Amino acid sequence: MASLSVLGLGYVGVVHAVGFALLGHRVVGYDVNPSIVERLRAGRPHIYEPGLEEALGRALSSGRLSFAESAEEAVAATDATFIAVGTPPAPDGSADLRYVEAAARAVGRGIRAKGRWHLVVVKSTVPPGTTEGLVARAVAEEAGGVKFSVASNPEFLREGSALEDFFKPDRIVIGAGDERAASFLLDVYKAVDAPKLVMKPREAELVKYASNVFLALKISFANEVGLLAKRLGVDTYRVFEAVGLDKRIGRHYFGAGLGFGGSCFPKDTLAFIRFGESLGLEMAISKAVLRVNEYMPRYAVQLLEERLGGLRGRHVGVLGLAFKPNTDDVRESRGVEVARLLLERGARVYVHDPMAMEKARAVLGDSVTYVEDPQALLDQVEGVIIATAWPQYEGLDYRGKVVVDGRYVKKAREAKIYEGVAWA
Ligand SMILES: NC(=O)c1ccc[n+]([C@@H]2O[C@H](COP(=O)([O-])OP(=O)(O)OC[C@H]3O[C@@H](n4cnc5c(N)ncnc54)[C@H](O)[C@@H]3O)[C@@H](O)[C@H]2O)c1
Ligand SMILES: O=c1ccn([C@@H]2O[C@H](COP(=O)(O)OP(=O)(O)O[C@H]3O[C@H](CO)[C@@H](O)[C@H](O)[C@H]3O)[C@@H](O)[C@H]2O)c(=O)[nH]1
């Protein structure tokens, strides 16, 4: 069994720290945010992810998962370190690599203290060339001549099913800087039954962007067809049910509606565009993916405005603030975006989410009214936009309300005054 450290205990890091421990490895986690570490030590995750609290409990009681007071301490106590820190957009939209660089420097200092070979694995989503470039350089500058290997091991888990995706991934991509890195990582993932592809680090880094941008492309394409379908008065979901049965196309990620949110698709598509542009490429397809996506929330608000005959001073609702069901994550959420657009047009906005209210409050503040019960929200508004496909919204009584359904909620379609976004 391997001895691993994980730097950065956000959505990806905490799932890996817990997951690796449950695979039988010894894991030391570290996050620069001490309150995250404190909560994890107490068995109370700082994020909501199905099954995580229970899995964390098992990992802690196995005695194989612990947390360090510093990154250097975590590194020095282990054989390999996974860097799982954020790579948010810089002001120009490119991937901001400052957290990755800071973590890599800390790894270098840990390696120097340890004085033996170490493997540095980049789990964060980074532009091709980062692992062998910026990361290897930053580690080397601090490691005092101690030998190390690098690898890129991009992550494909989805929030809301992160643990399941960790244990049952479609594939594991290992971008190994050398043989030793490859065999170490193959060993780490030995117990996971999935195709394992070993390649160069920059190939692995490109696999991650190509995967995310392609999925985002499918959604934007579905939305483009959906806008057309709506003009024709046909159901775009029925169209894609048939389109998707072609095995070459596949049926996934054709859900038309408000478009994609979350911490990955929007930022990774933009970072991919900026990366390509930095090499002199046009990146026309990826730009179109974002253009369609940015239009969809505006279109939903426009539909509501038309149906209500104006928005100024009108009481309207947003159902769903999480960027998708089964998470409390509101990063780049379409629900939050729709609430902002409604406020801009002078509406009185009521919002609901079963899980993300607290996180939404941190971004929307007191500009909107938070309602704990979605049916009570419907009682207070004339119209509503459904922004997240929470199963709870299937059971509501929408009668008499203008419903702009951005997520294809069946029950909403039975409402008297109804508009789907991008479908009939
Ligand atoms: N969220 C996802 O579903 C997902 C899936 C695949 C890949 N990714 C990628 O994985 C990376 C992490 O994403 P996330 O959603 O887990 O981010 P996150 O923002 O939830 O977590 C990042 C964590 O890193 C910590 N951190 C920052 N600098 C640090 C340092 N120097 N040392 C230790 N900890 C540090 C932060 O405090 C934070 O808790 C990103 O590159 C993202 O694109 C995310
Ligand atoms: O048919 C669809 C499918 C998804 N979405 C939206 O797309 C966004 C992203 O959804 P999803 O892919 O389920 O969630 P993420 O957790 O963001 O996962 C994506 O981003 C991660 C971070 O890079 C990757 O690891 C995953 O493989 C990739 O699916 C959400 O707003 C969804 O509502 C649609 O609009 N239509």
Side-chain angles (χ1 to χ4, degrees):
M1 287 301 138
S3 172
L4 311 170
S5 40
V6 179
L7 301 189
L9 298 170
Y11 286 85
V12 169
V14 72
V15 166
H16 280 75
V18 168
F20 284 144
L22 294 180
L23 287 179
H25 302 302
R26 202 173 63 76
V27 182
V28 183
Y30 171 74
D31 196 290
V32 279
N33 181 342
S35 73
I36 291 180
V37 173
E38 199 178 309
R39 289 194 58 148
L40 291 174
R41 276 198 182 117
R44 289 183 299 114
H46 55 297
I47 53 163
Y48 174 75
E49 192 56 47
L52 181 60
E53 185 156 353
E54 185 267 336
L56 172 64
R58 278 193 290 131
L60 288 171
S61 51
S62 75
R64 289 192 296 271
L65 174 62
S66 63
F67 299 96
E69 293 302 324
S70 73
E72 291 82 351
E73 181 194 327
V75 173
T78 54
D79 295 327
T81 302
F82 287 78
I83 297 178
V85 302
T87 46
D92 70 350
S94 63
D96 183 345
L97 298 174
R98 81 176 89 160
Y99 305 105
V100 170
E101 183 174 356
R105 291 197 176 281
V107 176
R109 291 191 294 274
I111 293 176
R112 183 186 201 132
K114 181 177 120 174
R116 275 184 293 114
W117 177 87
H118 198 83
L119 173 60
V120 187
V121 187
V122 178
K123 183 51 93 179
S124 304
T125 302
V126 294
T130 304
T131 300
E132 288 176 302
L134 177 138
V135 170
R137 266 197 310 276
V139 175
E141 278 170 24
E142 306 286 342
V146 180
K147 286 208 160 42
F148 65 91
S149 303
V150 293
S152 154
N153 173 216
E155 183 50 45
F156 305 98
L157 65 76
R158 292 158 299 171
E159 290 180 25
S161 54
L163 275 170
E164 203 186 319
D165 290 345
F166 174 87
F167 288 109
K168 289 185 201 152
D170 286 348
R171 78 296 209 191
I172 292 170
V173 175
I174 297 174
D178 55 38
E179 282 290 322
R180 194 168 178 184
S183 71
F184 190 101
L185 283 174
L186 285 170
D187 213 43
V188 166
Y189 289 110
K190 204 175 190 161
V192 181
D193 180 22
K196 288 152 197 149
L197 294 99
V198 178
M199 55 184 75
K200 291 180 192 158
R202 62 185 56 203
E203 287 168 338
E205 291 161 331
L206 186 55
V207 169
K208 176 62 194 175
Y209 279 102
S211 302
N212 267 9
V213 178
F214 187 72
L215 291 170
L217 181 147
K218 285 188 90 174
I219 298 168
S220 278
F221 182 69
N223 279 323
E224 184 158 291
V225 173
L227 291 168
L228 190 67
K230 195 163 172 63
R231 292 284 175 93
L232 297 170
V234 302
D235 185 335
T236 187
Y237 274 70
R238 281 163 64 102
V239 171
F240 276 106
E241 213 181 298
V243 171
L245 281 174
D246 185 327
K247 289 194 188 64
R248 296 168 303 171
I249 296 174
R251 63 191 165 83
H252 298 289
Y253 283 73
F254 280 141
L258 279 175
F260 54 81
S263 67
C264 292
F265 287 170
K267 93 163 161 64
D268 291 347
T269 307
L270 187 55
F272 186 60
I273 291 168
R274 294 292 179 258
F275 181 68
E277 284 177 341
S278 76
L279 300 175
L281 300 172
E282 194 188 345
M283 308 305 282
I285 291 178
S286 307
K287 282 179 185 160
V289 168
L290 283 188
R291 219 157 90 202
V292 173
N293 199 53
E294 278 154 20
Y295 176 63
M296 299 315 292
R298 283 187 275 130
Y299 177 58
V301 168
Q302 188 189 317
L303 282 177
L304 187 64
E305 188 162 32
E306 281 166 17
R307 280 300 191 133
L308 285 176
L311 282 172
R312 187 151 296 279
R314 310 292 284 276
H315 291 223
V316 295
V318 179
L319 288 177
L321 299 165
F323 83 94
K324 63 187 267 190
N326 282 328
T327 181
D328 61 351
D329 194 347
V330 299
R331 290 180 287 182
E332 297 281 331
S333 139
R334 304 292 84 185
V336 169
E337 172 69 5
V338 155
R340 283 202 186 110
L341 292 171
L342 291 169
L343 287 168
E344 257 173 46
R345 282 166 174 70
R348 281 280 310 270
V349 182
Y350 297 74
V351 298
H352 170 269
D353 191 281
M355 216 155 252
M357 219 87 116
E358 205 183 305
K359 288 196 173 157
R361 202 184 283 273
V363 285
L364 288 170
D366 292 332
S367 60
V368 297
T369 305
Y370 300 87
V371 187
E372 291 296 330
D373 172 11
Q375 192 63 59
L377 180 148
L378 282 175
D379 292 342
Q380 294 175 66
V381 300
E382 296 171 81
V384 69
I385 296 180
I386 303 176
T388 314
W390 284 106
Q392 287 87 328
Y393 300 154
E394 281 289 348
L396 301 179
D397 180 359
Y398 292 98
R399 279 175 300 178
K401 308 293 174 188
V402 174
V403 184
V404 174
D405 177 7
R407 297 293 174 202
Y408 210 66
V409 172
K410 207 164 93 216
K411 192 70 182 285
R413 290 203 294 284
E414 294 159 12
K416 278 207 186 94
I417 317 170
Y418 171 80
E419 284 281 3
V421 175
W423 62 84

